[in-house]
């Protein structure tokens, strides 16, 4: 563009590059999210077993992918608030699969039924609290939809993404 749009005798100096700064922060959030996911999977593997950690670990990326796909379909961009909402929801996303897997493991270890029947009974047993915890999270984030002014658009990704990821996590858990 030098010489065509900007005259040759004009000197350009970049004093601030907001795109570079934003990229560094977004990369930090993504690294933090991956670290958190790996940590959760390792903790579950150490406490419950490697098979359980695979099931729970698979629910996290599936829930996030479905939430991001929904964002894409409705035209929301991937920004720092969206990534923060995903980081925030990480702890909430693993709750439902952990509850189900833990109860399934308990039922199977009791040895009273075949593993398939024990699995169905275990999921049925914790179904109401799992669904209610999801509803409670959705209800607690609903007021963020009604924030107006300058903060409204800023908080919208949080109001959408946390309930979305938690809802998808519940579906994955079931």
């Amino acid at each position: 563009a030098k010489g065509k749009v900007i005259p040759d005798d004009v000197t350009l100096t970049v004093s601030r590059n907001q795109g570079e700064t934003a990229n560094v922060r977004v990369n930090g959030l993504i690294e933090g999210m991956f670290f958190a996911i790996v940590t959760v999977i390792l903790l579950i593997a150490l406490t419950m077993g490697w098979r359980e950690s695979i099931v729970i670990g698979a629910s996290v990326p599936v829930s996030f992918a479905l939430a991001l796909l929904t964002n894409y379909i409705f035209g929301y961009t991937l920004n720092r608030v969206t990534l923060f909402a995903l980081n925030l929801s990480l702890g909430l996303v693993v709750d439902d699969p952990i509850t189900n897997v833990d109860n399934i493991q308990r039922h199977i270890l009791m040895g009273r039924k075949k593993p398939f029947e024990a699995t169905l009974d275990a999921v049925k047993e914790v179904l109401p609290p799992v669904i209610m915890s999801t509803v409670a999270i959705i209800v607690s984030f609903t007021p963020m939809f009604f924030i107006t002014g300058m903060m409204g658009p800023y908080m919208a990704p949080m109001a959408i993404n946390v309930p979305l990821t938690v809802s998808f996590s519940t579906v994955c858990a079931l």
Side-chain angles (χ1 to χ4, degrees):
K2 186 104 169 132
K4 292 182 180 177
V5 177
I6 301 170
D8 288 328
D9 60 341
V10 174
T11 304
L12 293 175
T13 304
V14 177
S15 61
R16 204 167 31 164
N17 187 343
Q18 294 290 350
E20 187 176 314
T21 305
N23 191 38
V24 168
R25 290 185 179 167
V26 166
N27 287 340
L29 281 169
I30 291 172
E31 287 171 15
M33 188 168 21
F34 282 121
F35 176 75
I37 291 170
V38 169
T39 303
V40 166
I41 291 171
L42 288 174
L43 284 172
I44 296 301
L46 289 172
T47 57
M48 294 179 75
W50 67 271
R51 289 180 182 157
E52 292 81 358
S53 70
I54 290 172
V55 171
I56 293 165
S59 72
V60 174
V62 169
S63 300
F64 283 1
L66 289 171
L68 291 172
L69 176 66
T70 306
N71 278 313
Y72 177 74
I73 290 169
F74 288 103
Y76 286 101
T77 59
L78 183 63
N79 55 41
R80 288 189 297 191
V81 180
T82 304
L83 290 172
F84 176 73
L86 294 176
N87 275 334
L88 172 70
S89 65
L90 178 61
L92 304 170
V93 164
V94 296
D95 283 347
D96 294 342
I98 288 173
T99 302
N100 278 337
V101 167
D102 185 44
N103 206 40
I104 290 168
Q105 186 181 45
R106 183 179 68 85
H107 274 258
I108 290 174
L109 290 176
M110 284 192 307
R112 295 181 188 156
K113 297 177 182 173
K114 293 179 182 177
F116 184 76
E117 292 171 9
T119 300
L120 292 178
D121 287 345
V123 172
K124 258 192 258 182
E125 186 176 86
V126 294
L127 184 62
V130 164
I131 290 174
M132 287 310 297
S133 70
T134 302
V135 170
I137 292 166
I138 292 169
V139 167
S140 66
F141 277 88
T142 299
M144 292 181 118
F145 281 108
F146 303 106
I147 296 175
T148 59
M150 290 175 57
M151 289 303 291
Y154 185 74
M155 299 306 281
M158 186 118 30
I160 292 166
N161 284 297
V162 173
L164 268 178
T165 54
V166 172
S167 298
F168 288 134
S169 169
T170 302
V171 171
C172 288
L174 298 176

